[in-house]
Amino acid sequence: MWNLPSKKWCFVCVVLAFSFSTSFGQDLTLNLYGGVANYQGDLQEKRYTFDQSKPTFGLGIHYGLTDNWDIRGSIIYAQLTADDKFGKNKNRNLNFSTNLLEIHAGVQYNFTSLSETITPYAFAGIAVYHFNPYTYDMAGDKYYLQPLSTEGQGFIKGNQIYGLTQFSIPVGAGINFSLSDKISVGLEVGLRKLFTDYLDDVSNTYVDQNELLTYRGPKAVELSFRSNEVDPTATYPPAGSARGNKNSDWYYFTMATFSFKIGSGGGGGGNKKDQIGCPANVL
């Protein structure tokens, strides 16, 4: 069920959001956001940086349970990219890009009452996301990397092909500023703990060149080892030589938020109809 195309994912989320707003509209807030996305992994070792960041945007909803607790959900589109030429391992010369679609659900704790003008908060949840790393060869032609098994996935014992749709654990924090009874703005940073090291298609070791050639062809060999593009004397390394660091990747968002409260606030959130503001809780 996790191989739904992106358009179908969007349709499902819109239907769910409409159903949710119909049932809980009095305490529901719609959220828009835009910002930048980045990742930490083999091609981007900094824990948090704006280097090589790309745009992200999305749509979210949240429902207030009490003054301090909300449930929240969102759908996010982002782009991620990184290139060795901007990092410490320039001679390896690998790079990747991917479009990413995420659906998230979670809970949020507001550190001050929702009646306050300024509301800091923290959140956690679960998400499912889809990615598909690609690169361009020297001729400028685009190639998706997973089918090339650049580290022997699928034909080396114990090295399975990685899935393109996976789960993550979102955590983060933000702050909201109420502008009126209905409208608020904010800033949020959200991190995603992943369970794969192949977001960038780099994780483990180089596979034997002849085996890779036999099972996946010359293009896989070409895009698995790219040091010879910057150093013509470089030769394909022996099987088992380090290609990545084997640590799971992360991705993260830094976003400005805009929120609009739909209902009067008279639902399940206690005395919300007497509140002057509503936080802009979006992922």
Side-chain angles (χ1 to χ4, degrees), residues 45-106:
E45 296 183 358
K46 297 178 182 178
R47 291 188 179 274
Y48 182 86
T49 180
F50 290 104
D51 294 346
Q52 305 185 69
S53 58
K54 291 291 183 179
T56 183
F57 57 88
L59 173 68
I61 55 175
H62 83 258
Y63 177 70
L65 299 175
T66 69
D67 277 358
N68 295 105
W69 287 99
D70 300 330
I71 56 176
R72 53 185 275 160
S74 65
I75 180 168
I76 303 169
Y77 172 80
Q79 294 178 317
L80 301 173
T81 189
D83 195 314
D84 273 338
K85 68 182 179 182
F86 298 115
K88 297 179 180 179
N89 201 351
K90 292 179 174 60
N91 289 335
R92 184 175 56 183
N93 195 40
L94 296 176
N95 67 82
F96 91 105
S97 297
T98 185
N99 297 325
L100 185 142
L101 183 69
E102 177 194 273
I103 299 174
H104 155 268

Side-chain angles (χ1 to χ4, degrees), residues 20-241:
F20 196 82
S21 63
T22 301
S23 300
F24 302 102
Q26 291 216 336
D27 290 290
L28 193 69
T29 302
L30 294 182
N31 311 280
L32 300 174
Y33 63 88
V36 294
N38 213 329
Y39 103 113
Q40 180 195 8
D42 295 278
L43 278 67
Q44 175 67 274
E45 296 183 358
K46 297 178 182 178
R47 291 188 179 274
Y48 182 86
T49 180
F50 290 104
D51 294 346
Q52 305 185 69
S53 58
K54 291 291 183 179
T56 183
F57 57 88
L59 173 68
I61 55 175
H62 83 258
Y63 177 70
L65 299 175
T66 69
D67 277 358
N68 295 105
W69 287 99
D70 300 330
I71 56 176
R72 53 185 275 160
S74 65
I75 180 168
I76 303 169
Y77 172 80
Q79 294 178 317
L80 301 173
T81 189
D83 195 314
D84 273 338
K85 68 182 179 182
F86 298 115
K88 297 179 180 179
N89 201 351
K90 292 179 174 60
N91 289 335
R92 184 175 56 183
N93 195 40
L94 296 176
N95 67 82
F96 91 105
S97 297
T98 185
N99 297 325
L100 185 142
L101 183 69
E102 177 194 273
I103 299 174
H104 155 268
V107 295
Q108 175 174 306
Y109 180 76
N110 304 299
F111 291 100
T112 61
S113 169
L114 292 177
S115 61
E116 300 293 333
T117 302
I118 300 176
T119 306
Y121 63 89
F123 69 89
I126 189 169
V128 59
Y129 66 100
H130 180 80
F131 69 107
N132 197 359
Y134 62 87
T135 190
Y136 294 89
D137 66 8
M138 290 289 286
D141 295 323
K142 180 178 178 179
Y143 287 89
Y144 286 98
L145 292 165
Q146 188 229 36
L148 298 179
S149 300
T150 53
E151 295 185 359
Q153 303 97 325
F155 62 87
I156 297 297
K157 185 177 180 181
N159 193 353
Q160 298 180 343
I161 296 174
Y162 58 87
L164 297 178
T165 303
Q166 301 200 26
F167 289 98
S168 70
I169 303 298
V171 294
I175 187 167
N176 295 313
F177 303 89
S178 295
L179 302 181
S180 70
D181 289 353
K182 297 288 187 180
I183 297 174
S184 59
V185 296
L187 180 68
E188 178 174 295
V189 175
L191 310 177
R192 304 299 188 270
K193 167 62 178 174
L194 308 187
F195 301 96
T196 181
D197 190 28
Y198 282 111
L199 186 65
D200 50 18
D201 193 64
V202 182
S203 173
N204 204 333
T205 59
Y206 288 96
V207 67
D208 181 82
Q209 179 180 4
N210 293 325
E211 285 192 76
L212 185 57
L213 179 64
T214 298
Y215 285 97
R216 295 295 186 265
K219 186 58 67 174
V221 175
E222 175 188 336
L223 297 180
S224 174
F225 174 73
R226 308 193 69 170
S227 296
N228 53 1
E229 295 176 9
V230 294
D231 179 7
T233 66
T235 58
Y236 197 98
S241 299

